[in-house]
Amino acid sequence: MSAAAGLSWSAAWRIARRDLNGRFKGLRLLLVCIFLGTAALAAIGTLTAAIERELAASGQELLGGDLEIEVWQRDLTGEERAALSDYGTISGGTRLQAMASAVENAAPVELKAVDSNWPLYGVLTLADGREEAAPRGNEAWLAQGAMDRLAIEVGDRFTIGTVELIAAGVIEDEPDRLSEGFQLGPTVIVAEDVPRRAGLLQPGALYQSKYRVAFSDRSRDPEAVEEKLSDAFPNAGFDFRTRDSASPGADRFVAQMSDFLTLVGLAALVIAGIGIAGGVSSYLDQRRASIATFKVLGASSRDIVRIYALQIAVAALIGSLAGLAVGVLVTPLLGAALQGLLPVEGGFIIEPAPLLLAGSYGMLVAFAFAAAPLLRARSFPAMALMRSRIVPLARDRRALGATAAGLAAICALALATTDEPRLSGGFLAGAGAALALLAGLGFAIQAAARRLPRPANPILRSALANIYRPGAPTGALVTALGFGLAAFVLLAAIQSAIEGNIDSRVPREAPDYFVLDVPPAKETGFFDMVQERFPEAGLRTVPTLRGAVLAYGPEGDMVRVAELEELPEGAWGLRGERGLTYADRLPQGNRVVEGEWWSPLHNGEPLVSIDAEFARALDLEVGDYLTIGILGVERTARVANLREIDWESMGFNFLLVFSRNAISDAPHNLAATIDLPDDADRQARGELLRALVQEFPSSSVVEVGEVLGEARTILRQVGLATLAAAAVAVLAGLAVLMGAIAAARASRTYDTVVLRVLGASRRQILLMQLAEYGFIAGTLALVALGLGSLLGWVVITQLFEFDWLPDWGAIFGVLGLGLVMVLGFALGGSLPLLRAKPARALREL
């Protein structure tokens, strides 16, 4: 091949392979940065795709059917059941809170009564390996938690209501567990007729009837069936779920976690890209003499690009492959952190699409950020390269085009593969703005250092001059330190805000017990029983009913909910049936913001008080009307006032509160809270539970402490997964810092040698480095605090929809730790410079 044509790719590869160190010396930072970003995206994509695939593929099993109908406080009518059975095989049953007791122990349980067709999909597996269907007669399948609380074993007897049951097996795998939602006690599965025989389904009792259907025509669209049933029974108060949304909470949680983790992966790659640019610059600087020699021997600029582009591509490919492998390996660990929250397969999971996407991101980032230093090195004659240690190379404007093209490809790929283009686009725009901010800050710091008075101390004077001298790496250091410190702040902000939400949303001071289905006629006996054992106990009861909003609006122009094609935003109270109550006085923790509360003796027009936010979502005003359906009967009331509700309290909070004359004639029971003295011992508590079971067999008790513990566990699982993911950004930030230090090593070596020749001691040189890095890092601390806090706020409030409750003390502490680590890495990177031999270093200039 002629010299004019240049080297072929094969010839360039032979030279690149000979010049490439087997241990990738000089390119290790590139390897680490690509590895971190690719591993993060591979693990995130694999885990998310596996969960979404499991939810989609197992929707029928998770739901227990193709379509589910839920109604409160009643069974389906014969007509409703016949309409549902037209579409296939149906399975029905009830769900309710109940109290189980055995000898001297009592425990609240989640009672699940199922018919002989259950489960329509999937198999119930017991701990002894048996695969079973619905229990028969007085048999019951119990969760291990119920067995432990009752202190019984398989074969022992226990009581629920007025029925004695046999613990016939321990539940290992319940096929439709995820669709049942948050539990207020361990599960006990019984035959369909047990709740009625136990006296638990009295008029007014709070129970839920669930019916599922397995379509005879598997191609039938469940949403079309839902629409037909809604049209046929517009006032029935049905809640629907389909196999495509078997667990809406899980779907929403997966989407939120996926969005957050993807942003973490993109952040890691953006931060790592800066490290790549520094690492490649450092590597090419080490190869300065080789590049100059190639050019002296006649190599063209294209030849130089081909040789070193191949070396960088090989290193990037190896880093990407290693990252993909580690991403697959750590997926089971992430799955274990979310165990119980989501359906995650055990073992290793291979999902080709997210792995291919992660690898593509890795290679694109390598190209985008390595292009500038590579193209800059090719564009100058040999003598300019030989003198670059003393006279730094100028910037090559053509390299900016290649970098811009790579960044545009990354943005296009991110926007084309996300389910939330606005979110990803906003993040990418924010990342670009952050880069621009830090770049501008770098220039500002240099300008400020140039204008500051010269310190009298020679070490400080030299450290300040190093910031703005020709060829100073201040810009790269500002970018690296800014992102690195911001990553520390982000980590602390997210973790402390999640802990803050645990403390705020899951209050530590709450009633000890909620008691459901207390008969109104026995209210006095209930009070007497509790206060006989605990005279100082706090007690409160409220009437409880279930009903659905059927219509709302001005009189004569009311909107029928069944006719709405789409619910108004924020009008969640229109979905299915809600808890209702009536009251003579304003409930605790509520505040009237518009209108007036009715008098305790009100006996005129039926009135209703509505949550102010819900009213705004419906454009309801005081004086408008609301129609509800309770047990198939429509009741209309005028809106008397709007209230603000403290939803985070653990008291009784109702969206709708009616006047007594509006709904008190409907069958209903009472709900109660019991707040025991702090010094109440465990034995006395147990005696109270057993007494409640004996005297009120149809009532159920919810132990608030156990529920709060489970809620804290769930939030901490989310926090653990979030913390692990955000740590990737911190690691990437540290890698960037190391890259910036490595990129500046050549010029630092020259400076150090000159200073040592002029008589500077090693201690003085180290102090000089410490002062320089300390000045830059200290200046950046406030910027990092603002940037990291802003990103944390977006994650907590926009993705997770939590309150922004960070612990600023913890954030400042972590930021201080980050500053110490930054200075430690800076000094650590300076130590090799002190070992450079002046004579040898000067000969190599």
Side-chain angles (χ1 to χ4, degrees):
M1 182 173 289
S2 64
L7 291 174
S8 65
W9 281 107
S10 58
W13 168 240
R14 285 196 298 272
I15 297 174
R17 186 179 57 190
R18 292 169 185 166
D19 190 46
L20 191 63
N21 188 289
R23 293 175 296 173
F24 292 95
K25 185 177 181 181
L27 288 175
R28 291 172 188 165
L29 182 63
L30 170 68
L31 278 166
V32 170
C33 289
I34 292 293
F35 166 79
L36 283 173
T38 306
L41 282 177
I44 292 163
T46 300
L47 179 65
T48 302
I51 293 174
E52 290 175 344
R53 177 167 53 81
E54 185 70 15
L55 287 172
S58 304
Q60 292 171 319
E61 182 175 331
L62 294 174
L63 180 65
D66 295 294
L67 179 72
E68 178 185 83
I69 290 179
E70 302 174 0
V71 291
W72 280 89
Q73 292 185 288
R74 70 178 182 91
D75 199 352
L76 292 189
T77 65
E79 183 183 1
E80 292 167 343
R81 194 179 307 195
L84 187 60
S85 62
D86 286 342
Y87 296 101
T89 304
I90 66 173
S91 172
T94 54
R95 310 290 188 271
L96 68 156
Q97 294 299 123
M99 287 298 295
S101 61
V103 192
E104 296 183 356
N105 296 299
V109 298
E110 189 96 6
L111 191 63
K112 178 176 179 176
V114 296
D115 65 13
S116 57
N117 288 336
W118 181 88
L120 294 175
Y121 293 101
V123 176
L124 173 74
T125 305
L126 300 180
D128 58 9
R130 286 182 292 158
E131 293 184 350
E132 292 285 352
R136 295 167 294 277
N138 284 5
E139 292 181 339
W141 314 131
L142 288 80
Q144 185 62 55
M147 301 286 286
D148 294 340
R149 292 293 306 276
L150 297 174
I152 60 175
E153 298 180 356
V154 174
D156 291 344
R157 297 178 180 273
F158 66 100
T159 301
I160 290 182
T162 58
V163 172
E164 187 176 65
L165 301 170
I166 301 172
V170 179
I171 301 170
E172 177 70 22
D173 183 22
E174 183 184 352
D176 54 356
R177 173 59 252 159
L178 191 63
S179 68
E180 298 288 358
F182 186 77
Q183 285 185 288
L184 298 178
T187 300
V188 175
I189 302 176
V190 297
E192 181 184 19
D193 63 340
V194 168
R196 191 166 299 279
R197 289 195 288 121
L200 302 178
L201 303 186
Q202 301 297 327
L206 287 177
Y207 67 93
Q208 189 179 35
S209 295
K210 287 192 178 186
Y211 279 81
R212 289 139 179 193
V213 56
F215 292 154
S216 52
D217 179 4
R218 299 301 172 87
S219 63
R220 191 183 296 274
D221 181 8
E223 293 186 357
V225 175
E226 175 185 341
E227 186 175 349
K228 289 181 179 179
L229 291 172
S230 297
D231 293 340
F233 306 99
N235 299 329
F238 290 156
D239 277 340
F240 291 96
R241 275 198 287 178
T242 70
R243 65 193 178 207
D244 299 324
S245 59
S247 181
D251 291 338
R252 184 169 58 252
F253 179 75
V254 170
Q256 289 174 332
M257 285 299 294
S258 174
D259 291 339
F260 165 68
L261 295 175
T262 299
L263 293 187
V264 168
L266 288 174
L269 275 176
V270 170
I271 297 172
I274 303 167
I276 289 169
V280 171
S281 294
S282 175
Y283 176 70
L284 293 176
D285 188 78
Q286 294 173 18
R287 293 291 187 271
R288 175 177 54 87
S290 298
I291 295 173
T293 302
F294 281 138
K295 288 202 167 188
V296 168
L297 295 176
S300 66
S301 295
R302 182 193 300 174
D303 297 334
I304 298 299
V305 170
R306 285 189 174 184
I307 292 169
Y308 289 99
L310 284 171
Q311 292 183 357
I312 293 168
V314 169
L317 181 61
I318 292 175
S320 294
L321 293 176
L324 295 179
V326 170
V328 171
L329 292 174
V330 302
T331 300
L333 300 178
L334 292 176
L338 299 174
Q339 195 68 36
L341 290 180
L342 298 169
V344 187
E345 295 179 2
F348 298 110
I349 304 168
I350 304 294
E351 292 284 346
L355 294 179
L356 179 62
L357 181 64
S360 300
Y361 273 126
M363 297 305 293
L364 278 174
V365 167
F367 165 77
F369 288 93
L374 183 61
L375 294 179
R376 185 178 61 176
R378 70 156 194 171
S379 304
F380 293 90
M383 290 308 297
L385 289 166
M386 293 292 190
R387 292 182 287 108
S388 64
R389 288 279 178 90
I390 303 173
V391 183
L393 298 174
R395 297 186 180 276
D396 183 0
R397 296 184 181 277
R398 289 172 295 178
L400 297 178
T403 301
L407 293 175
I410 294 170
C411 294
L413 185 61
L415 295 175
T417 56
T418 182
D419 294 329
E420 295 287 345
R422 290 180 58 187
L423 182 66
S424 295
F427 169 78
L428 292 170
L435 283 171
L437 171 67
L438 291 173
L441 187 61
F443 286 114
I445 289 175
Q446 287 183 303
R450 190 177 291 111
R451 289 175 173 78
L452 285 175
R454 303 280 76 81
N457 188 299
I459 293 177
L460 294 178
R461 186 168 58 250
S462 298
L464 191 64
N466 279 341
I467 293 174
Y468 63 85
R469 64 177 173 78
T474 303
L477 285 174
V478 166
T479 305
L481 291 174
F483 271 110
L485 292 174
F488 276 98
V489 173
L490 173 66
L491 193 69
I494 290 176
Q495 184 63 18
S496 65
I498 289 177
E499 288 292 335
N501 276 272
I502 291 175
D503 292 336
S504 173
R505 294 193 173 200
V506 188
R508 300 186 183 279
E509 292 190 10
D512 293 275
Y513 301 107
F514 278 106
V515 185
L516 306 178
D517 291 331
V518 177
K522 295 185 177 182
E523 181 179 7
T524 302
F526 173 79
F527 272 74
D528 291 342
M529 171 178 289
V530 176
Q531 291 180 335
E532 180 182 346
R533 290 166 173 79
F534 298 98
E536 298 179 2
L539 291 167
R540 183 186 172 204
T541 59
V542 296
T544 55
L545 304 88
R546 299 288 300 190
V549 177
L550 303 180
Y552 61 90
E555 186 177 17
D557 190 26
M558 297 180 70
V559 177
R560 301 293 297 186
V561 175
E563 297 174 0
L564 291 173
E565 294 185 3
E566 185 177 351
L567 296 182
E569 184 177 355
W572 53 271
L574 299 183
R575 296 190 182 95
E577 296 189 341
R578 297 289 157 189
L580 309 174
T581 192
Y582 59 86
D584 295 328
R585 294 178 173 80
L586 181 67
Q588 292 179 356
N590 290 211
R591 183 172 68 91
V592 174
V593 295
E594 187 175 343
E596 294 182 357
W597 194 260
W598 49 83
S599 66
L601 301 178
H602 175 78
N603 196 29
E605 183 181 17
L607 302 175
V608 62
S609 174
I610 302 180
D611 172 53
E613 291 186 5
F614 181 59
R616 282 194 290 270
L618 300 182
D619 290 329
L620 275 177
E621 298 179 354
V622 173
D624 289 343
Y625 285 82
L626 188 81
T627 298
I628 58 170
I630 300 177
L631 298 175
V633 178
E634 291 192 14
R635 298 164 183 263
T636 300
R638 180 171 59 84
V639 178
N641 58 73
L642 307 181
R643 291 169 294 125
E644 279 188 357
I645 304 174
D646 181 11
W647 291 105
E648 294 182 359
S649 71
M650 288 296 292
F652 291 112
N653 291 313
F654 291 88
L655 191 73
L656 306 174
V657 178
F658 291 83
S659 59
R660 180 181 292 271
N661 65 331
I663 61 175
S664 63
D665 60 324
H668 66 278
N669 285 324
L670 304 177
T673 59
I674 303 175
D675 193 2
L676 299 179
D678 294 336
D679 58 355
D681 59 37
R682 187 178 185 85
Q683 182 178 352
R685 292 169 182 264
E687 291 175 355
L688 175 62
L689 284 180
R690 289 192 294 274
L692 287 172
V693 171
Q694 292 173 1
E695 295 297 326
F696 300 90
S698 63
S699 301
S700 56
V701 180
V702 177
E703 290 186 284
V704 177
E706 184 175 334
V707 174
L708 297 186
E710 184 174 346
R712 289 190 185 99
T713 298
I714 290 174
L715 286 175
R716 285 201 169 96
Q717 283 180 293
V718 174
L720 179 62
T722 304
L723 183 66
V728 176
V730 173
L731 293 175
L734 293 177
V736 168
L737 175 60
M738 293 168 63
I741 293 171
R745 183 169 295 170
S747 60
R748 294 285 185 186
T749 301
Y750 171 72
D751 295 341
T752 301
V753 165
V754 171
L755 288 172
R756 290 185 62 190
V757 168
L758 295 176
S761 67
R762 294 186 177 187
R763 176 178 172 277
Q764 289 174 319
I765 293 173
L766 281 176
L767 289 175
M768 192 183 305
Q769 297 280 345
L770 182 64
E772 179 184 349
Y773 281 102
F775 178 80
I776 296 175
T779 305
L780 285 172
L782 290 177
V783 176
L785 181 64
L787 183 60
S789 298
L790 176 62
L791 291 174
W793 176 85
V794 170
V795 170
I796 293 295
T797 63
Q798 304 303 305
L799 287 183
F800 291 157
E801 298 179 3
F802 288 172
D803 293 329
W804 177 236
L805 300 171
D807 183 344
W808 291 108
I811 291 175
F812 281 109
V814 171
L815 179 60
L817 176 63
L819 288 171
V820 172
M821 291 185 66
V822 162
L823 295 177
F825 275 109
L827 292 180
S830 302
L831 292 177
L833 305 181
L834 301 178
R835 293 194 291 267
K837 304 296 183 183
R840 179 179 177 181
L842 292 172
R843 283 197 302 270
E844 291 177 352
L845 291 176

